[in-house]
Amino acid sequence: MLTMLALLMSLTSGTTLAASGEEVDVELVLAVDVSGSMDIEEAQIQRAGYVDALRHAEFINAVRDGLTGRIAITYFEWAGTVRDSSHIPWQIISGPDDANAFAALLEARPIATRRGTSISSAIAYGAKLFDANSYSGMRRVIDISGDGPNNFGLPVTPARDAANALGIIINGLAIMIRPSAAYGSLDDYYSNCVIGGPGAFVLPVQEPEDFAIAIRRKLILEVSGAEPPARILRAAGSDVDCLIGERLRPSNMDRYYPELDR
């Protein structure tokens, strides 16, 4: 069983700031939630949103407007764990042909959901992907979409803090189409417990028809490095309970966090 210390060591043992390789404006990891709380319809809408965003002229123009005019991008899906089979390898995008090719790989993937929500595992997996490419990005970003708080595996905040310590920015898309009153406001949870790093932000999605636009806006902000508008939540500090997901799963708490006073 991994401990919090082991997680921190696993993130920092092999990950170093890129010092060589092909220069890009950003190294971007898309980490997409396929947990069981996402029904097939929501998963399909989410998938279509990413495919459409990657092919959209505004996204491609944002890529071309960068200092180098290219980005490196990769994709994986996560639930309680991350399956390597969901990973689409790193690819350069510098124009519509590259973007269409990457979008086609994503579009062709089967859609399925799995149990559990481990944002911490998604961050740890995403952080290690930067070791596996030959690019040198001005920024390194993990883009996480999700519809619930961390409730499986290790707590999310140590994983976030370890990734931030390596210079990795974490942004979020809080999917709030079917919100749960038990968890409170998911965008507040993401703002306080998940995202982090210079300029980090979370963008909420509350209606299915908003998916495609929200995803496109998020990708454009991440590619351009522009400051997000004031109406988009930034990293914050408040009384939000970053263990709310775990506290509503007593068996998980007993297994991983017996020292906590509940």
Side-chain angles (χ1 to χ4, degrees):
M1 181 189 305
L2 284 174
T3 64
M4 295 185 201
L5 178 59
L7 171 62
L8 294 172
M9 293 178 64
S10 71
L11 281 180
T12 57
S13 61
T15 306
T16 57
L17 291 173
S20 61
E22 183 177 355
E23 291 188 354
V24 294
D25 291 309
V26 61
E27 299 169 58
L28 178 60
V29 174
L30 303 181
V32 175
D33 182 5
V34 293
S35 60
S37 54
M38 295 276 292
D39 62 30
I40 291 299
E41 181 183 3
E42 285 180 323
Q44 289 172 335
I45 293 170
Q46 179 179 232
R47 171 71 60 80
Y50 276 98
V51 170
D52 290 347
L54 290 164
R55 288 174 170 158
H56 201 280
E58 291 181 5
F59 167 72
I60 295 167
N61 289 338
V63 171
R64 286 175 158 174
D65 287 344
L67 189 62
T68 70
R70 57 185 176 269
I71 68 168
I73 192 168
T74 188
Y75 171 100
F76 70 89
E77 296 168 346
W78 59 274
T81 57
V82 179
R83 293 179 180 172
D84 289 336
S85 60
S86 75
H87 177 218
I88 297 177
W90 288 98
Q91 178 180 311
I92 288 286
I93 290 181
S94 60
D97 291 343
D98 300 329
N100 282 329
F102 192 84
L105 290 174
L106 177 53
E107 190 173 35
R109 284 194 47 78
I111 295 177
T113 59
R114 304 194 307 275
R115 294 181 60 187
T117 301
S118 185
I119 303 172
S120 58
S121 293
I123 292 173
Y125 188 94
K128 283 184 169 293
L129 291 178
F130 293 105
D131 286 341
N133 71 38
S134 57
Y135 306 115
S136 178
M138 299 176 189
R139 289 173 292 113
R140 297 187 299 167
V141 177
I142 298 175
D143 172 334
I144 293 184
S145 69
D147 73 339
N150 194 80
N151 66 14
F152 194 83
L154 297 170
V156 65
T157 52
R160 175 200 63 191
D161 294 345
N164 289 166
L166 297 169
I168 298 169
I169 299 166
I170 302 172
N171 295 326
L173 185 74
I175 302 168
M176 304 166 65
I177 295 174
R178 295 184 180 132
S180 170
Y183 295 136
S185 178
L186 185 64
D187 51 354
D188 284 342
Y189 174 87
Y190 261 67
S191 179
N192 287 273
C193 309
V194 178
I195 67 172
F201 65 92
V202 56
L203 203 161
V205 177
Q206 295 172 317
E207 300 294 339
E209 57 267 26
D210 295 337
F211 247 115
I213 295 174
I215 291 170
R216 183 167 74 246
R217 289 175 64 204
K218 183 158 61 76
L219 292 183
I220 290 170
L221 286 170
E222 289 165 338
V223 166
S224 67
E227 286 290 310
R231 65 182 178 276
I232 296 177
L233 290 178
R234 305 292 295 272
S238 74
D239 295 331
V240 172
D241 183 1
C242 292
L243 289 171
I244 185 62
E246 290 88 346
R247 292 186 194 283
L248 294 177
R249 286 177 60 102
S251 60
N252 233 23
M253 292 294 290
D254 292 341
R255 180 178 179 187
Y256 290 104
Y257 322 119
E259 74 281 4
L260 290 177
D261 180 10
R262 303 190 298 281

